[in-house]
Amino acid sequence: RARTVGELLAPTSPFDKKCGRENWTVAFAPDGSYLAWSQGHRIVKLVPWAQCLHNFLLHGTKNGTNAASARLPRHSSESSHKNKPCEHIIDCGDIVWSLAFGSSVPDKQSRCVNIEWHRFKFGQEQLLLATGLNNGRIKIWDVYTGKLLLNLMDHTEVVRDLTFAPDGSLILVSASRDKTLRVWDLKDDGNMMKVLRGHPNWVYGCAFSPDSSILCSVGASKAVFLWDMDKYSMLRKLEGHHNDVVACEFSPDGALLATASYDTRVYVWDPHTGVILREFGHLFPPPTPIFAGGANDRWVRSVSFSHDGLHVASLADDKMVRFWRIDEEYPVQVAPLNNGLCCTFSTDGSVLAAGQDGSVYFWATPRQVSSLQHLCRMAIRRVMPTSQVRNLPVPCKVLEFLCYQI
């Protein structure tokens, strides 16, 4: 059983309606400084992650929740020092479906070269939070001050997911129920650069590869699409799921892609060949394709890759959180969670956060020694992508050793 680290509970009152308190999204800042989650009823809460962990250790799993909420200092002035993260509560004006943190790298210029004047100059010391709302709007907030910076309006339906390019360019991609993905350049004051069309129905989720060159998007009608983000064109469609695909994430080395579906399965793909390398089933025996959507109590809601590239976490409607090793068929650890909707690993990969009914629960990631083969696979992809690994002039046995295979 997975070891519980702590929990952060949403405040309740006698008149608070439970409906609308769903926590559809939880996110960690790229530098690990902040944790953000949707508490429901338009509210997003930002807390300093290091202080959260400190309170869990001080006060224990159960008591740490209230202590963390009570002891975190409020940030009410712009003059407060940015190196001291403080708690914020943000009212987004509508139900929040998605969150994403973004930080800038100075040498990454805006892709729009014709505009010389910009309203905002995003520096390296700045941290942004994007919130996707029920009315189709995307609001961009300054994490350190809690102030609204941009209001992006172009989607016509719910913004179901958001993801920033990991390269620090402040390129933001949004996935919506209006069947489109939209690409925004925040260094160009939130200018919408491109609309990606191809999904026949709702788009549930999107994720960048670690080098920002590929975007994966998933949605209804079994759709898993890969996009070339240099040309904004579709690379390929991955086929294998039997029902709506609701979540996706690349491994830290970019060699693997995990997708979660209502067909009760999580697939681990080689995105460069479109081959399914591993299937993690949440219903035994697995449903046949014709009944793949019938097991409503086993729908997989979310999937996340750990920082070590060795573990995948999944969250399903059977009230369980599962930790899987990519080279094993069965979960290595499990934990109970009712009505879980989203999960993500902390920036350093040591903790998994899962959202449920406006609250967040935390578990320690399984600590297991990686094989030499896994370490070699990860290491070589720090200097070259999988496509180049396959073309290395080395003996076939060495090449097999360096490639992820079934």
Side-chain angles (χ1 to χ4, degrees), residues 48-176:
W49 175 234
Q51 201 164 351
C52 243
L53 276 180
H54 179 68
N55 279 308
F56 289 151
L57 293 173
L58 273 182
H59 305 283
T61 299
K62 299 295 182 183
N63 297 332
T65 303
N66 298 327
S69 299
R71 293 167 183 264
L72 291 175
R74 283 291 174 87
H75 185 94
S76 58
S77 171
E78 287 186 58
S79 61
S80 297
H81 204 274
K82 290 184 177 181
N83 291 333
K84 295 181 180 179
C86 297
E87 177 185 328
H88 291 297
I89 294 178
I90 297 174
D91 187 343
C92 295
D94 204 345
I95 295 173
V96 181
W97 285 84
S98 50
L99 294 172
F101 281 98
S103 57
S104 175
V105 174
D107 58 357
K108 284 285 181 181
Q109 299 299 319
S110 168
R111 293 198 185 186
C112 185
V113 296
N114 297 322
I115 298 179
E116 297 180 358
W117 180 87
H118 291 104
R119 181 181 169 195
F120 295 106
K121 302 290 184 183
F122 293 122
Q124 192 173 16
E125 74 286 349
Q126 200 155 16
L127 186 61
L128 305 179
L129 178 70
T131 56
L133 307 182
N134 191 70
N135 58 12
R137 296 191 178 189
I138 302 167
K139 292 186 176 182
I140 311 297
W141 308 82
D142 185 321
V143 171
Y144 298 121
T145 65
K147 288 197 170 184
L148 179 65
L149 299 178
L150 294 169
N151 195 353
L152 311 180
M153 298 177 287
D154 209 71
H155 283 296
T156 57
E157 294 285 347
V158 171
V159 180
R160 191 63 186 82
D161 200 14
L162 294 166
T163 181
F164 275 98
D167 61 4
S169 61
L170 288 185
I171 299 297
L172 174 69
V173 175
S174 55
S176 172

Side-chain angles (χ1 to χ4, degrees), residues 9 24 45 49 51 175 177 180 184 209 235 281 296 312 385:
L9 305 179
W24 289 104
K45 192 162 187 178
W49 175 234
Q51 201 164 351
R177 285 184 182 174
T180 69
W184 314 81
S209 62
L235 281 173
N296 294 357
V312 174

Side-chain angles (χ1 to χ4, degrees), residues 218-219 221-225 236-245 259-269 274-280 286-290 292:
V218 297
S221 305
K222 316 171 193 176
V224 180
F225 293 163
R236 65 181 61 89
K237 182 177 180 180
L238 305 181
E239 297 183 348
H241 279 296
H242 304 294
N243 202 342
D244 294 359
V245 190
T259 57
S261 170
Y262 287 163
D263 65 8
T264 74
R265 299 172 175 93
V266 167
Y267 285 156
V268 177
W269 311 74
V275 175
I276 298 173
L277 300 178
R278 180 68 65 185
E279 175 184 326
F280 298 136
T288 57
I290 194 170

Side-chain angles (χ1 to χ4, degrees), residues 384 388-396 398-399:
M384 62 177 65
Q388 293 181 21
V389 172
R390 296 182 186 279
N391 296 324
L392 284 173
V394 296
C396 291
V398 177
L399 203 59

